[in-house]
């Protein structure tokens, strides 16, 4: 889920990144299939956001692509008939996941309905995403997928009362609003065909489109809602997170496809053009830095790179846009292949672990200039968030018939599963550091080398003081292989089960079902409250982890959805017909 919910790491531009962390009708020659049919939904003539003046109108509207969508390579494995025993086990697990969702939904409906979030311990409510019912909108498609039709109809009736002309926030995060609200409405519309949901999607789209009313048509990612509503002139920021700029294209393009109005496609196509133009000119050619300058269209000047937080969904959306649009936008394939060429070479690393498991982690690269040459420094930091990358590479590997990407996807997903199993509770932490192997082939366990890394991470001068290393390992409760765990939280994240689900649908590996079930059971056991499920502040303890009074909307919109889908029959949201946005909202793909 882009920048995917506020993850922090200390790098050269730490102060700036910390600031961002805490603040946060065109007709084709070919008639598309059902996924591409346009529907005319009319907003009220006096809808607020359409009546505001446009200060910097588009002079050359970019049309939606035309032509027949390509028959792309299949993503999903053809599954054979399962045995009665396997079907019974799978169904039993699916029911357990649904029961967990229903329990959370009932508590949300009773205690916090129409608010953004339920506080799962106190029973209070929170408005952290504009006060527009984030959990309600994020859960719409989950209700449909879980066949909760009565609850779905009640929820649809309720969202009709959401007013997007006022907000509980002074500053609105355009990215989060796009993936949760616009994505949520579009997905629920694609699944149900209820045009009321498309009308709400257009309301959100009209509001967000005002964030692009800048001199160079680049978006304002942290958007002053009140000033925009007053019709004041706006300008894009000089500093923004690449994920918040580069991860709007799926939702905006889908809205243009289903309404026939190209303006949203035009808005994000302008971003794509800058990304493509500057992709080979960054300090790590092929990838874009975490910090970019939308005001001056300079996407190549910062020096921190990674697939994780604050960059992630920019890369995730490259193969997904190719799938969404049936290959009619070929630049996305090229951009994906170039970015992954760099990522596989520099960002991914094999960690040294006691059982010498053949796994991969995704780290960070800091580029420094040394005597006119670029020096690359790997930060061997793992993140729960970056577990999404295995699913991304599985999708890309199948779409573009790249076996290397499929094998890399396997190692990344297995790495996330390994990390879950390595923790005392069986739950992965937010952030952690490991020890990179000397090479992908040479990776024997070295206890002394591990302890030296522990001392280095703890900033101890004497790297030979094994007694001090043992004390740190004991006090920090570090499992073997972990040099440090600076963020011990688990905030009900979806990224690990997301990639386990995708890789299962791609490969059919039965062990992935067992891994998913083990993950679900331990998460339920440790996060369940008397009302719902709560985030954990420390997963390094051996039992009874401390909880936080927080349950973000992605728990019901993403995490439980992916757990449900992996234990569903494979044709439910078939990956050859649907593609998920970064908030796990499935959109219909254009297919021949």
């Amino acid at each position: 889920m882009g920048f995917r919910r506020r993850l922090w790491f200390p790098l050269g531009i730490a102060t700036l990144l910390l600031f961002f962390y805490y603040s946060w009708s065109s007709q084709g020659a070919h008639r598309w299939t059902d996924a591409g049919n346009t529907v005319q939904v009319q907003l009220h003539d006096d809808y607020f956001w359409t009546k505001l003046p446009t200060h910097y109108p588009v002079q050359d509207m970019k049309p939606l692509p035309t032509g027949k969508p390509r028959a792309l390579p299949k993503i999903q494995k053809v599954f054979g008939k399962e045995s009665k025993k396997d079907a019974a086990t799978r169904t039993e697990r699916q029911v357990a996941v649904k029961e967990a969702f229903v329990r959370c939904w009932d508590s949300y409906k009773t205690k916090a309905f129409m608010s953004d979030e339920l506080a799962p311990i106190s029973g209070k409510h929170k408005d952290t995403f504009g006060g527009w019912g984030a959990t309600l909108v994020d859960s719409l498609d989950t209700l449909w997928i879980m066949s909760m039709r009565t609850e779905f109809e009640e929820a649809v009736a309720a969202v009709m009362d959401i007013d997007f002309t006022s907000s509980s926030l002074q500053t609105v995060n355009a990215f989060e609003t796009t993936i949760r609200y616009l994505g949520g409405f579009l997905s629920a519309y694609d699944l149900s065909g209820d045009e009321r949901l498309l009308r709400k999607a257009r309301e959100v789209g009209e509001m967000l489109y005002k964030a692009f009313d800048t001199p160079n048509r680049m978006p304002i990612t942290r958007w002053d809602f009140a000033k925009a509503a007053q019709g004041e002139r706006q300008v894009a920021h000089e500093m923004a997170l690449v994920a918040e700029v580069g991860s709007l294209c799926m939702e905006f393009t889908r809205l243009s496809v289903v309404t026939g109005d190209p303006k949203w496609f035009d808005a994000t196509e302008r971003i794509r053009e800058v990304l493509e133009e500057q992709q080979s000119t960054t300090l790590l050619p092929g990838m874009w830095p975490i910090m970019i300058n939308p005001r001056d269209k300079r996407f190549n000047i910062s020096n921190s790179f990674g697939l994780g937080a604050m960059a992630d969904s920019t890369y995730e959306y490259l193969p997904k846009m190719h799938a969404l649009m049936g290959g009619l936008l070929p630049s996305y394939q090229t951009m994906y292949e170039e970015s992954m060429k760099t990522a596989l070479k520099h960002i991914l690393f094999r960690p040294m672990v006691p059982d010498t498991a053949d796994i991969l982690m995704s780290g960070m690269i800091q580029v420094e200039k040394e005597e006119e040459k670029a020096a690359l420094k790997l930060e061997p930091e793992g993140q729960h968030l970056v577990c999404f990358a295995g699913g991304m590479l599985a999708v890309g590997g199948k779409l573009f018939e790249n076996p290397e990407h499929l094998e890399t996807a396997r190692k990344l997903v297995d790495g996330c599963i390994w990390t879950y199993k390595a923790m005392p509770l069986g739950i992965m932490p937010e952030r952690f550091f490991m020890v990179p192997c000397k090479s992908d082939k040479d990776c024997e366990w070295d206890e002394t080398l591990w302890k030296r890394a522990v001392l280095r991470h703890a900033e101890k001068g004497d790297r030979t003081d094994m007694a001090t290393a043992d004390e740190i390992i004991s006090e920090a409760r570090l499992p073997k292989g972990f040099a440090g765990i600076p963020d011990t939280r688990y905030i009900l994240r979806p990224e690990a089960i997301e990639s386990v689900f995708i890789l299962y649908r791609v490969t059919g590996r039965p062990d992935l079902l067992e891994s998913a079930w083990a993950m679900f059971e331990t998460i339920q056991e440790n996060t369940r409250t008397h009302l719902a499920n709560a985030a954990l502040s420390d997963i390094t303890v051996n039992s009874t982890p401390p909880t936080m009074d927080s349950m973000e909307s992605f728990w019901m919109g993403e995490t439980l959805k992916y757990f449900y889908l992996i234990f569903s029959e494979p044709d439910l949201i078939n990956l050859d017909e649907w593609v998920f946005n970064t908030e796990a909202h499935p959109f219909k793909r254009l297919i021949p």
Side-chain angles (χ1 to χ4, degrees), residues 19 30 32 64 98 101 109 111 153 164 192 243 258 272 286 302 306 343 351 356 435 463 521 563:
F19 164 76
H30 171 77
W32 287 328
L64 281 161
K98 183 174 179 178
F101 176 87
K109 186 177 177 181
K111 301 284 187 177
E153 290 299 330
F164 289 104
S192 69
V258 294
R272 187 205 61 75
S302 188
T356 67
V435 184
R463 305 289 167 77
E521 283 196 304
F563 275 121

Side-chain angles (χ1 to χ4, degrees), residues 156-170:
V156 172
V159 300
M160 293 302 107
D161 292 330
I162 297 175
D163 181 6
F164 289 104
T165 67
S166 63
S167 174
S168 64
L169 302 176
Q170 173 71 25

Side-chain angles (χ1 to χ4, degrees), residues 53-59 208-221 223 232-237 267 270-271 294-297:
T54 299
H55 299 294
Y56 307 101
V58 172
Q59 302 299 323
L208 289 167
Y209 193 63
K210 290 301 179 184
F212 286 77
D213 188 14
T214 64
N216 64 1
R217 302 300 302 181
M218 290 293 107
I220 303 169
T221 55
W223 186 42
E232 294 189 18
R233 290 180 181 269
Q234 312 168 103
V235 62
H237 298 308
R270 294 172 186 276
I271 297 170
R295 181 176 297 182
D296 300 317
K297 289 188 179 180

Side-chain angles (χ1 to χ4, degrees), residues 326-504:
L328 294 176
L329 297 168
S331 290
Y332 280 104
Q333 176 177 354
T334 302
M335 294 163 70
Y336 166 78
E337 290 174 339
E338 289 302 309
S339 64
M340 290 305 104
K341 188 184 304 180
T342 299
L344 267 62
K345 182 177 181 180
H346 296 295
I347 301 293
L348 306 186
F349 68 94
R350 182 177 180 180
M352 184 183 71
V353 293
D355 60 357
T356 67
D358 187 12
I359 57 177
L360 288 174
M361 297 289 169
S362 181
M364 299 287 302
I365 285 287
Q366 188 87 354
V367 182
E368 303 290 350
K369 287 287 188 179
E370 293 182 2
E371 298 180 355
E372 302 302 319
K373 294 183 179 180
L376 307 185
K377 179 184 177 183
L378 174 68
E379 293 283 348
E381 178 191 52
Q383 304 170 3
H384 191 292
L385 181 150
V386 83
C387 281
F388 88 92
M392 172 188 67
L393 281 156
V395 169
K398 293 294 287 186
L399 279 177
F400 307 126
E401 301 178 298
N402 189 319
E404 181 186 12
H405 287 195
L406 285 172
E407 178 63 10
T408 302
R410 178 193 68 77
K411 293 181 179 181
L412 284 168
V413 174
D414 286 348
C416 292
I417 294 171
W418 186 94
T419 308
Y420 263 77
K421 291 179 178 178
M423 291 293 128
L425 299 176
I427 299 176
M428 187 178 189
E430 273 287 285
R431 291 176 51 236
F432 53 91
F433 284 86
M434 303 190 80
V435 184
C437 297
K438 294 178 181 178
S439 73
D440 289 347
K441 306 300 181 184
D442 181 14
C443 211
E444 292 300 313
W445 173 250
D446 186 327
E447 189 115 355
T448 300
L449 185 62
W450 168 52
K451 291 183 178 181
R452 287 176 178 169
V454 170
L455 291 167
R456 181 170 57 253
H457 183 74
E459 299 182 343
K460 301 296 182 181
D462 185 357
R463 305 289 167 77
T464 64
D465 187 353
M466 297 295 107
T468 298
D470 288 337
E471 290 178 7
I472 296 170
I473 291 167
S474 177
E475 291 174 1
R477 298 184 289 272
L478 296 177
K480 287 188 175 184
F482 294 84
I485 308 179
D487 192 340
T488 60
R489 296 174 301 152
Y490 172 67
I491 60 171
L492 306 175
R493 279 198 179 279
E495 293 83 10
I497 183 57
E498 170 187 347
S499 282
V500 171
F501 158 72
I502 293 173
L503 190 62
Y504 174 69

Side-chain angles (χ1 to χ4, degrees), residues 96-390:
V97 175
K98 183 174 179 178
E99 288 175 350
F101 176 87
V102 170
R103 189 167 173 275
C104 294
W105 175 257
D106 287 346
S107 293
Y108 169 73
K109 186 177 177 181
T110 302
K111 301 284 187 177
F113 201 57
M114 301 299 290
S115 295
D116 287 340
E117 296 173 11
L118 165 71
I121 298 173
S122 66
K124 296 179 180 179
H125 57 84
K126 303 179 182 180
D127 283 321
T128 51
F129 291 100
W132 299 315
T135 294
L136 174 60
V137 179
D138 252 352
S139 299
L140 286 170
D141 53 8
T142 312
L143 290 167
W144 182 274
I145 288 168
M146 292 187 178
S147 299
M148 298 173 65
R149 295 294 190 267
T150 299
E151 293 84 354
F152 177 80
E153 290 299 330
E154 292 172 348
V156 172
V159 300
M160 293 302 107
D161 292 330
I162 297 175
D163 181 6
F164 289 104
T165 67
S166 63
S167 174
S168 64
L169 302 176
Q170 173 71 25
T171 300
V172 169
N173 187 313
F175 161 73
E176 294 284 0
T177 304
T178 297
I179 65 172
R180 294 173 190 255
Y181 294 107
L182 181 54
F185 285 130
L186 285 170
S187 176
Y189 165 70
D190 270 353
L191 287 162
S192 69
D194 191 326
E195 292 182 10
R196 293 176 296 171
L197 293 163
L198 182 55
R199 187 171 295 108
K200 295 304 289 188
R202 186 152 196 166
E203 286 182 17
V204 180
E206 295 289 358
M207 175 185 71
L208 289 167
Y209 193 63
K210 290 301 179 184
F212 286 77
D213 188 14
T214 64
N216 64 1
R217 302 300 302 181
M218 290 293 107
I220 303 169
T221 55
R222 305 298 175 99
W223 186 42
D224 191 316
F225 187 90
K227 288 184 178 180
Q230 292 165 11
E232 294 189 18
R233 290 180 181 269
Q234 312 168 103
V235 62
H237 298 308
E238 289 184 291
M239 292 175 292
L241 301 172
V242 68
E244 294 189 350
V245 176
S247 308
L248 309 172
C249 50
M250 282 190 69
E251 298 81 4
F252 276 51
T253 298
R254 185 62 187 153
L255 183 58
S256 280
V257 168
V258 294
T259 63
D261 188 336
K263 72 180 185 183
W264 291 285
F265 170 75
D266 169 89
T268 55
E269 179 66 3
R270 294 172 186 276
I271 297 170
R272 187 205 61 75
E273 289 177 346
V274 180
L275 288 168
E276 181 179 37
E277 180 182 288
Q278 299 183 26
Q279 184 172 14
S280 64
T281 67
T282 69
L283 294 175
L284 190 64
M287 297 183 71
W288 301 276
I290 290 171
M291 297 296 298
I292 60 175
N293 179 350
R295 181 176 297 182
D296 300 317
K297 289 188 179 180
R298 300 184 69 187
F299 291 10
N300 59 359
I301 55 176
S302 188
N303 67 338
S304 297
F305 297 81
L307 294 175
M310 298 177 268
D312 53 312
S313 45
T314 295
Y315 300 99
E316 175 190 356
Y317 276 15
L318 299 177
K320 288 184 173 184
M321 278 294 292
H322 185 81
L324 180 70
M325 295 301 290
L328 294 176
L329 297 168
S331 290
Y332 280 104
Q333 176 177 354
T334 302
M335 294 163 70
Y336 166 78
E337 290 174 339
E338 289 302 309
S339 64
M340 290 305 104
K341 188 184 304 180
T342 299
L344 267 62
K345 182 177 181 180
H346 296 295
I347 301 293
L348 306 186
F349 68 94
R350 182 177 180 180
M352 184 183 71
V353 293
D355 60 357
T356 67
D358 187 12
I359 57 177
L360 288 174
M361 297 289 169
S362 181
M364 299 287 302
I365 285 287
Q366 188 87 354
V367 182
E368 303 290 350
K369 287 287 188 179
E370 293 182 2
E371 298 180 355
E372 302 302 319
K373 294 183 179 180
L376 307 185
K377 179 184 177 183
L378 174 68
E379 293 283 348
E381 178 191 52
Q383 304 170 3
H384 191 292
L385 181 150
V386 83
C387 281
F388 88 92

